[in-house]
Amino acid sequence: MSTQPPPDETGTETGIRRRNLLAVAALTPASAKLALRDSHAERDPHAERDPHAGHDSHAGHDRTGRPATPVPSTTATWAGVAGTLGRSGNMIRGLYYHTPFPRWDLHVVSRGITLTPGLALGSHVSFARYSDGNTLVMGDLIITECRLQRLNDALHTHGFMQTAIHKHLLAHTPALWWTHIHTQGRDPVRMARGLRAVVEATGTPPPPPPARPRPIDLDTAGIDRALGVPGTTANGVHACTFIRRETIVDHNRALPPGLGATTAFTFQPLGGGRAALSGDFAMVSGEVHDVLATLRHGSIDLVELHNHGLTEEPRLFFLHLWAVGDGVALARSLRRAVSLTNVAPAPGS
């Protein structure tokens, strides 16, 4: 997903971490059924093989046979990962470490609009610790079409699964693709080392120098009211994020709230209150048709409908979308579709 989640405030990290750990521990009825599955369920054959780990290190269950659950961490936990990647990240809700890789080097034009990197050009990868001692790595990488096969090969060489290859934009130059990645293992620094090699294969530049915060020409308060969620303004765009209410289980691991399961919208100001909108919905199958119809009724373009993962339960479908128009009017159209899905405003949004 191209929209970047907002960072946690350092002063509230501990309290948020405790609240979300309780939420993850109380699995929903759908996830509780998953917890009763045979403990000999098929293991992930592509998980990172750590020579120092035991035979069951990648099974994804705790000793009771339930899906492994995420455990709290802090930025200090991931110092080795940050050092290996050569760039800093931030904690999301005290449960996973998120590192952005903005493609500020690309000059991308879609339907005559030059995109700011914050709108739809943000590769990102997250690390989460688990109760069984493993670390999960999930992310979404942007690649130019001329480098796509090189990236595919680099991912396979360094032990990363590809769980989706797709588009986020309609007509655009240069041609871009997005690929979702997944791996797990006991040595996060080792995985970060492989990730760095993969990112280098994409041609992603080093982090840009810090930019001075600037107001943007959008009625951000009106957008937030229309959507019913407090958004965040950064890097020249305004973003609003929702998370699925269910506990999502992927590869026998309960995902931290919001990891790999967000509905997110990003608005780039075009002047006069108008905005370019890029975003995506996370939906279960029963929500898909009504959401698509409602968005088209609101004159929002549908870009692609697909899966981002291979094994998540409940099964999720993601819709990427695009629109140009008055920012508040677009937010109202989005809100009608959001109301058809089982989501809640992301904590800390």
Side-chain angles (χ1 to χ4, degrees), residues 112-178:
I113 295 174
T114 299
L115 307 188
T116 183
L119 179 65
L121 306 179
S123 295
H124 56 94
V125 178
S126 296
F127 289 69
R129 295 174 58 208
Y130 274 81
S131 55
D132 63 356
N134 279 330
T135 294
L136 171 67
V137 181
M138 293 178 69
D140 189 12
L141 303 178
I142 298 172
I143 186 72
T144 52
E145 188 166 295
C146 62
R147 288 179 177 258
L148 176 59
Q149 305 311 320
R150 187 187 314 176
L151 171 62
N152 296 339
D153 294 342
L155 287 166
H156 305 157
T157 295
H158 293 283
F160 289 88
M161 296 173 61
Q162 287 178 282
T163 59
I165 304 174
H166 58 256
K167 295 275 191 179
H168 285 194
L169 299 169
L170 294 169
H172 62 282
T173 56
L176 301 176
W177 291 85
W178 283 256

Side-chain angles (χ1 to χ4, degrees), residues 261-280:
T262 59
T263 290
F265 312 115
T266 305
F267 300 80
Q268 175 183 320
L270 300 178
R274 289 170 54 79
L277 165 69
S278 178
D280 56 340

Side-chain angles (χ1 to χ4, degrees), residues 48-278:
E48 182 205 19
R49 301 302 178 188
D50 188 335
H52 303 293
H55 178 69
D56 292 328
S57 64
H58 301 290
H61 294 95
D62 65 17
R63 293 182 180 179
T64 67
R66 296 187 179 91
T69 54
V71 297
S73 60
T74 67
T75 51
T77 306
W78 306 103
V81 167
T84 301
L85 293 178
R87 62 181 70 208
S88 60
N90 55 274
M91 291 302 304
I92 304 297
R93 293 179 281 281
L95 286 173
Y96 59 99
Y97 179 71
H98 174 267
T99 302
F101 299 87
R103 293 305 306 263
W104 57 270
D105 59 312
L106 297 176
H107 180 78
V108 179
V109 178
S110 179
R111 295 187 164 186
I113 295 174
T114 299
L115 307 188
T116 183
L119 179 65
L121 306 179
S123 295
H124 56 94
V125 178
S126 296
F127 289 69
R129 295 174 58 208
Y130 274 81
S131 55
D132 63 356
N134 279 330
T135 294
L136 171 67
V137 181
M138 293 178 69
D140 189 12
L141 303 178
I142 298 172
I143 186 72
T144 52
E145 188 166 295
C146 62
R147 288 179 177 258
L148 176 59
Q149 305 311 320
R150 187 187 314 176
L151 171 62
N152 296 339
D153 294 342
L155 287 166
H156 305 157
T157 295
H158 293 283
F160 289 88
M161 296 173 61
Q162 287 178 282
T163 59
I165 304 174
H166 58 256
K167 295 275 191 179
H168 285 194
L169 299 169
L170 294 169
H172 62 282
T173 56
L176 301 176
W177 291 85
W178 283 256
T179 183
H180 287 259
I181 65 172
H182 178 115
T183 194
Q184 54 186 303
R186 290 191 177 275
D187 188 346
V189 172
R190 179 185 173 193
M191 291 186 287
R193 193 176 302 122
L195 176 61
R196 179 163 183 165
V198 165
V199 170
E200 288 173 352
T202 68
T204 298
R212 180 180 301 177
R214 295 180 300 173
I216 62 175
D217 182 16
L218 276 177
D219 181 3
T220 56
I223 289 172
D224 292 353
R225 283 193 301 272
L227 275 168
V229 60
T232 58
T233 300
N235 303 316
V237 297
H238 187 70
C240 297
T241 305
F242 300 82
I243 62 174
R244 295 293 306 185
R245 295 180 188 272
E246 308 96 332
T247 295
I248 309 299
V249 176
D250 192 4
H251 289 83
N252 299 317
R253 300 186 182 282
L255 299 182
L259 179 59
T262 59
T263 290
F265 312 115
T266 305
F267 300 80
Q268 175 183 320
L270 300 178
R274 289 170 54 79
L277 165 69
S278 178

